[in-house]
Amino acid sequence: MKLPRLTIAIIGIASGSLLAQQIQLPQNPLQGRIVFEEKKCIECHAIGGFGGTVGPDLSKREFFGSTLELASIIWNHAPQMNRKFRQLRMNRPSLTENEMLDLFGFLYYLRYLGEPGSVSHGRSLLTSKGCITCHMVAGKGGKVGPDLERVQGYASPLFMVQAMWNHGPAMQEQIKKTRMSYPILSGQDVADISAYLRQATTGSADMRMSPGNPAKGRTLFEQKRCVKCHLGEGEARITQPGLIRIDLKKGVTGVATLMWNHGLAMMARMKRESVDWPRFEGNEMADLLAYIYFLGFEDKPGDTQRGESVFRSKGCVDCHRQAGGGRGPDLATINRFETPIRMIQLMWNHAGEMEDLVITGNKNWPVLSTRDMRDLYAYLRKVAQK
Ligand code: HEC
Ligand code: HEC
Ligand code: HEC
Ligand code: HEC
């Protein structure tokens, strides 16, 4: 089975070189779509309604969470999945580390684009949010700001957000003058407004949203001085106190909306700290938002001590003894837990055999919460390094 191209063909990320403490970004989630087909996940799972119905449609889920959160979800479902594999006489697919990374990047990215906007809601928002007081759309409206219809680029939510952002301070001036209130947007508003503008504009240009490149976004996050007030990933967390943490479990329109809504607070603070209002060109806003989105992929560091007790209490230690002697290998001799993806890949590949042993040993499948996964990873990483 193959997914129709149009659903996800717009996805594509290239990532630059990555340091160890940074988030492991997939080279290209498009690759993950191929893995999803090749490994037959699609036989049981649909994406956007297309695919098998044995398991849940994976694009329906709100947010899969960080790498280890997703790992926990998959791990805990493994017995049910295995049962289906047996029923359908399918082989359990094994995955390489790169395939696992691609697959995770792909699943994670599914929510990025969010739902398509609603044209009719978009039209009524232009009135209810007061945009029409200052802007012309479809021949009606004010002349304080530019005619929104003429600029086809706004048909893409990201370009609209970028344009709004760039003009933020000037718009703000006007809003003050006219004693209007700053338009606060919610939920899907950004997508809806641009869906309406897309329909209202006459141009034939293909205005699909650019997916954004998180690796470039990482650089922009510094270049545009976001780092002056915000924490990104990794070590930035422990450097300066007083930085505002960006931790958003939202798709691209959600992130864009928050940035817009916080525009006033940011403007005020930037003025105070003499930071120039950053402006964005070309694909920059898309790249930056993709990076902010991928911040959610990062896991908090785990607790090695707690990890050790998870290893005991979940029964891993029954089969994985020190210096061997259990039914599974001594995990300390495996110097291969450099990344969470690596651990997940090894666990996934052995989940079939492990399950057989769990069943014959009359034991329960060890359910692992996200926190368990995180701590387990910290622990395994530590023992394997010795
Ligand atoms: C033979 C059928 C089958 C195949 C093939 C399969 N799965 Fe599943 N999967 C299931 C079933 C059934 C569930 C639901 C289990 C449950 O409800 O506990 C599930 C659950 C999941 C979930 C959790 C979904 C959620 O929202 O809770 C994820 C993620 C997942 N599978 C990913 C994958 C990936 C990735 C692959 C390919 C490597 C794959 N599955 C292959 C049957 C399958
Ligand atoms: C009080 C008047 C006012 C309101 C209300 C207002 N705008 Fe604006 N807007 C402006 C002005 C003035 C500019 C041009 C700023 C500049 O020249 O830098 C602008 C610029 C823009 C731009 C960039 C236009 C360009 O040429 O690149 C977009 C997009 C935009 N507004 C969208 C909106 C949307 C969507 C809303 C409603 C949520 C809205 N505006 C509400 C006054 C307003
Ligand atoms: C001068 C300080 C400053 C700079 C520079 C700055 N911000 Fe902000 N940012 C803020 C403040 C203040 C808030 C509002 C926090 C609040 O409302 O609680 C905020 C809020 C946000 C939010 C919403 C966070 C949330 O959890 O709701 C996002 C997203 C954001 N900023 C992104 C950015 C990006 C991207 C950049 C770089 C282009 C940037 N900020 C630059 C001060 C700044
Ligand atoms: C019932 C016995 C059993 C239990 C319980 C068990 N494992 Fe395993 N595990 C195995 C066996 C057997 C293998 C080797 C499978 C193989 O070689 O294909 C294995 C392999 C692994 C591997 C891959 C090692 C490698 O060299 O590739 C990892 C990682 C792992 N287990 C982690 C765990 C964790 C974490 C737990 C606890 C949540 C756990 N195991 C619980 C039996 C078990």
Side-chain angles (χ1 to χ4, degrees):
M1 227 187 276
K2 282 208 178 278
L3 286 171
R5 284 195 71 76
L6 84 163
T7 4
I8 351 206
I10 33 176
I11 294 172
I13 295 186
S15 76
S17 67
L18 297 167
L19 302 175
Q21 76 274 20
Q22 290 181 318
I23 307 170
Q24 226 182 340
L25 295 174
Q27 287 291 332
N28 176 3
L30 195 59
Q31 202 63 29
R33 184 196 62 145
I34 296 165
V35 177
F36 195 78
E37 290 169 4
E38 278 180 1
K39 297 294 171 178
K40 302 203 162 53
C41 314
I42 195 163
E43 304 282 332
C44 296
H45 293 288
I47 300 286
F50 189 88
T53 51
V54 176
D57 182 329
L58 296 183
S59 61
K60 289 271 150 62
R61 206 180 162 100
E62 262 304 293
F63 188 74
F64 276 116
S66 66
T67 310
L68 289 170
E69 220 168 323
L70 178 51
S72 149
I73 292 170
I74 291 190
W75 178 258
N76 294 338
H77 285 306
Q80 281 95 321
M81 269 163 83
N82 289 347
R83 201 171 307 137
K84 289 286 175 203
F85 283 125
R86 284 191 293 267
Q87 266 173 20
L88 301 172
R89 296 177 197 281
M90 285 171 70
N91 286 327
R92 231 179 153 278
S94 61
L95 297 162
T96 65
E97 184 177 2
N98 278 336
E99 286 169 344
M100 200 67 173
L101 177 60
D102 287 343
L103 201 53
F104 268 45
F106 173 68
L107 291 178
Y108 186 79
Y109 213 60
L110 284 176
R111 294 306 298 170
Y112 178 72
L113 297 175
E115 306 292 331
S118 144
V119 173
S120 60
H121 190 230
R123 183 182 354 166
S124 62
L125 280 170
L126 286 174
T127 309
S128 66
K129 298 293 175 184
C131 319
I132 210 87
T133 328
C134 300
H135 293 284
M136 289 274 265
V137 184
K140 279 191 222 128
K143 294 208 164 109
V144 180
D147 184 336
L148 291 184
E149 205 182 305
R150 258 182 291 159
V151 190
Q152 287 178 19
Y154 304 149
S156 154
L158 281 173
F159 285 114
M160 187 182 81
V161 168
Q162 176 160 302
M164 283 172 76
W165 178 270
N166 286 343
H167 294 290
M171 251 166 96
Q172 179 51 19
E173 284 293 301
Q174 284 301 326
I175 287 173
K176 259 194 214 139
K177 265 191 216 154
T178 46
R179 300 227 181 90
M180 288 176 63
S181 48
Y182 187 84
I184 294 294
L185 302 173
S186 63
Q188 285 281 100
D189 291 357
V190 170
D192 294 347
I193 292 177
S194 59
Y196 173 65
L197 292 178
R198 176 162 53 237
Q199 184 251 208
T201 49
T202 45
S204 59
D206 186 2
M207 278 304 164
R208 282 192 300 205
M209 178 152 62
S210 151
N213 177 334
K216 280 197 189 144
R218 176 185 274 151
T219 313
L220 288 166
F221 197 73
E222 283 180 24
Q223 276 173 2
K224 304 287 179 187
R225 317 272 291 125
C226 314
V227 285
K228 191 164 165 29
C229 303
H230 292 289
L231 291 173
E233 66 200 288
E235 60 192 338
R237 288 215 170 125
I238 40 171
T239 49
Q240 293 171 48
L243 291 181
I244 304 163
R245 173 86 194 280
I246 299 183
D247 185 9
L248 307 170
K249 301 200 168 186
K250 292 183 187 327
V252 64
T253 43
V255 180
T257 302
L258 271 171
M259 269 185 75
W260 174 255
N261 288 347
H262 287 297
L264 276 183
M266 279 202 243
M267 253 178 249
R269 178 126 169 213
M270 285 187 189
K271 230 180 224 163
R272 217 166 54 225
E273 304 192 11
S274 317
V275 181
D276 285 337
W277 186 249
R279 288 186 164 74
F280 297 89
E281 287 167 17
N283 223 35
E284 286 183 343
M285 182 61 95
D287 294 340
L288 186 70
L289 294 185
Y291 172 65
I292 292 179
Y293 179 71
F294 259 97
L295 287 176
F297 207 39
E298 186 183 31
D299 277 287
K300 294 188 193 76
D303 173 341
T304 50
Q305 238 168 1
R306 191 177 171 279
E308 182 170 10
S309 66
V310 170
F311 195 74
R312 292 183 185 289
S313 67
K314 297 292 175 182
C316 316
V317 76
D318 297 345
C319 296
H320 296 287
R321 303 222 176 102
Q322 253 177 33
R327 309 174 89 154
D330 176 359
L331 296 181
T333 61
I334 303 168
N335 194 11
R336 290 194 289 186
F337 295 105
E338 299 91 349
T339 63
I341 291 286
R342 183 74 181 140
M343 176 182 79
I344 298 155
Q345 179 235 343
L346 292 173
M347 286 173 73
W348 165 273
N349 286 346
H350 295 294
E353 198 175 331
M354 266 166 67
E355 203 209 359
D356 291 342
L357 288 173
V358 166
I359 292 172
T360 48
N362 215 359
K363 296 199 173 109
N364 289 325
W365 182 252
V367 171
L368 299 169
S369 68
T370 305
R371 190 174 169 209
D372 293 342
M373 274 286 177
R374 216 187 274 147
D375 296 342
L376 202 52
Y377 174 63
Y379 170 67
L380 289 178
R381 197 178 170 172
K382 189 178 139 224
V383 291
Q385 268 170 358
K386 276 188 191 152

